[in-house]
Amino acid sequence: MTTLTTQVAIIGGGPSGLLLSQLLNKAGIDTVILERATRDHVLSRIRAGILEWGTVELLREAGVDARMDKEGIPHDGCYLTDEELMVHIDFKGLTGKQVMVYGQTEVTTDLYNAQAAMGTTVLHEVSDVEIHDLDQAKSYVDFTHEGTRKRLECLYVAGCDGFHGVSRKTIPEEKRKEFERVYPFGWLGILSETPPVNDELIYSNSRHGFALASMRNENLVRYYVQVPLTDKVEDWSDQRFWDEFSRRIPSEAASRLVTGPSIEKSIAPLRSFVSEPLRWGNLFLVGDSAHIVPPTGAKGLNLAASDVYYLYTALIDAVKGKTSGIDEYSTRALARIWKAMRFSWQMTTMLHRFDGEDAFAEQMRKATLNHLATSETARRDLAENYIGLPF
Ligand SMILES: Cc1cc2nc3c(=O)[nH]c(=O)nc-3n(C[C@H](O)[C@H](O)[C@H](O)COP(=O)(O)OP(=O)(O)OC[C@H]3O[C@@H](n4cnc5c(N)ncnc54)[C@H](O)[C@@H]3O)c2cc1C
């Protein structure tokens, strides 16, 4: 069997794995990334689009800021609306901070390019990954690559392989505690090369259901509508999407809507999920392998970034023999994860219609929006969470 060695084996070459690898290599720590898919496949997944400022700073630290600073669009605020009210959340005025509109695909492209420039080993199309000896001084990962079974020996394993990966499941079931809420709807999203309907995001709670107007750049929009989980992408022609989206956003914005063909269309179910702990011996879970948030608070990618921050700083100390950081990793990361869980759940509850809900639930949503409209304290609280809690 071919045997490779490294200091940190990273399972998964999505945003978590790439960013962790980039930061560790910059600090002189050797990594190998094992990724199940091809690079093109990873880069074709249209997902997050909003970066908290902490994530922006971490990408700068990783040395992948040049294109982001040129092409990313800083946003000072967003709108929350129902059919009567349009509430502006002024992030900059309330917190002094902004967020950055820069797509996950762009972040991932920049990281792949930076990793290639650094000469890091990224193995694609690996399968049958098995993680062993997590309670020993050294661990190893067996996998199949180019038709051959191979072994990667390492000091630590970072499980960056998303919700469906193998890392979390390597922790014995009786040692894991899982928390989950599955929402009874999904988001149908389209990508279209058209100018944005508004210069800031609009989160809209209409009587027809939720809609989000977001963007990737000045001529690329990402728009969503809430749909039943039973809907399929084939049920939604472009025309049906535009008609539905247009009646869910405020009429003033709808009057500016420019429609065009979709270049991507997909439905994502909404889920809140946390698996504790994040550490099992030499294995550390990072990003979606340990937690999922509904996209309403724009937190998924940003939580992956804060996990990476806690872990990369801890691993730098650990290879020098100081283990307090890795000992505290799970507790530190989970404290921030649960706050983002709460915010994402609250935004989801405030902005969506739930099948079979009573009139009381609707009044609660209206009262929450009314409170935001009239209370600067409430708006500041929302802004503070949206721009991202410190890490
Ligand atoms: C459809 C969808 C839409 C989303 N929209 C938003 C959004 O609007 N805003 C937001 O903030 N967040 C959004 N998210 C969440 C955000 O994309 C994730 O939080 C982010 O991708 C997490 O990065 P990650 O690297 O931890 O996991 P992933 O991006 O899932 O990457 C994991 C990687 O591991 C690989 N892998 C899996 N199993 C194995 C294995 N056994 N062996 C080797 N490799 C493996 C996968 O191929 C993948 O490349 C969305 C997620 C989805 C699924």
Side-chain angles (χ1 to χ4, degrees), residues 20-86:
L20 180 65
S21 179
Q22 177 71 12
L23 287 160
L24 287 175
N25 278 279
K26 272 199 89 193
I29 295 171
D30 189 55
T31 64
V32 170
I33 297 180
L34 305 178
E35 166 57 50
R36 187 183 53 189
T38 62
R39 178 178 160 148
D40 283 352
H41 180 78
V42 176
L43 293 177
S44 70
R45 294 188 299 226
I46 307 296
R47 293 184 173 177
I50 298 282
L51 306 182
E52 295 172 357
W53 216 255
T55 305
V56 169
E57 298 290 357
L58 193 62
L59 291 169
R60 292 212 170 108
E61 202 171 318
V64 286
D65 48 346
R67 200 163 67 94
M68 173 181 73
D69 281 337
K70 213 158 68 192
E71 297 176 19
I73 308 172
H75 273 202
D76 291 348
C78 74
Y79 288 89
L80 304 186
T81 78
D82 68 12
E83 281 161 12
E84 290 147 30
L85 265 181
M86 189 148 174

Side-chain angles (χ1 to χ4, degrees), residues 10-19 33-38 41-43 45-51 104 108 112 123-130 143 159-167 187 203 212 214 216 222 224 264 266-269 286-305 307-308:
I10 299 179
I11 321 288
S16 300
L18 290 164
L19 181 57
I33 297 180
L34 305 178
E35 166 57 50
R36 187 183 53 189
T38 62
H41 180 78
V42 176
L43 293 177
R45 294 188 299 226
I46 307 296
R47 293 184 173 177
I50 298 282
L51 306 182
Q104 178 167 331
T108 314
Y112 267 124
L123 302 182
H124 284 277
E125 298 183 82
V126 304
S127 59
D128 302 319
V129 170
E130 288 174 11
F143 60 98
C160 302
D161 47 353
F163 184 66
H164 299 287
V166 294
S167 300
W187 279 16
Y203 289 85
L212 169 61
S214 70
R216 291 294 187 265
R222 182 70 167 159
Y224 297 94
E264 196 268 353
S266 50
I267 294 180
V286 183
D288 277 20
S289 70
H291 46 79
I292 300 283
V293 281
T296 328
K299 290 284 163 262
L301 179 60
N302 293 300
L303 270 186
D307 288 357
V308 165

Side-chain angles (χ1 to χ4, degrees), residues 146-297:
E146 294 174 338
T148 321
R149 203 72 187 142
K150 295 181 182 168
R151 176 161 296 178
L152 175 60
E153 292 178 346
C154 57
L155 297 175
Y156 300 107
V157 182
C160 302
D161 47 353
F163 184 66
H164 299 287
V166 294
S167 300
R168 185 179 67 254
K169 291 167 202 150
T170 302
I171 303 176
E173 205 174 336
E174 67 279 10
K175 302 292 180 191
R176 273 185 272 142
K177 191 160 184 193
E178 297 189 344
F179 304 83
E180 186 171 46
R181 170 135 323 167
V182 178
Y183 301 89
F185 40 74
W187 279 16
L188 166 69
I190 69 154
L191 201 62
S192 172
E193 286 169 329
T194 48
V197 71
N198 197 53
D199 57 0
E200 289 179 345
L201 269 61
I202 301 176
Y203 289 85
S204 180
N205 164 30
S206 85
R207 96 189 87 128
H208 307 292
F210 171 78
L212 169 61
S214 70
M215 68 181 79
R216 291 294 187 265
N217 63 43
E218 300 302 352
N219 198 43
L220 187 62
V221 295
R222 182 70 167 159
Y223 293 154
Y224 297 94
V225 292
Q226 170 187 354
V227 295
L229 282 172
T230 45
D231 276 19
K232 304 262 174 298
V233 170
E234 308 77 74
D235 300 334
W236 286 84
S237 65
D238 285 359
Q239 191 56 51
R240 182 176 174 208
F241 178 87
W242 290 119
D243 291 345
E244 191 58 35
F245 179 73
S246 158
R247 69 180 188 147
R248 291 188 190 190
I249 58 173
S251 51
E252 180 241 335
S255 67
R256 294 192 300 268
L257 181 66
V258 178
T259 64
S262 64
I263 54 172
E264 196 268 353
K265 201 186 279 167
S266 50
I267 294 180
L270 268 64
R271 178 197 305 268
S272 299
F273 173 83
V274 182
S275 178
E276 297 184 351
L278 303 188
R279 179 186 184 184
W280 181 249
N282 295 333
L283 170 69
F284 300 88
L285 301 182
V286 183
D288 277 20
S289 70
H291 46 79
I292 300 283
V293 281
T296 328

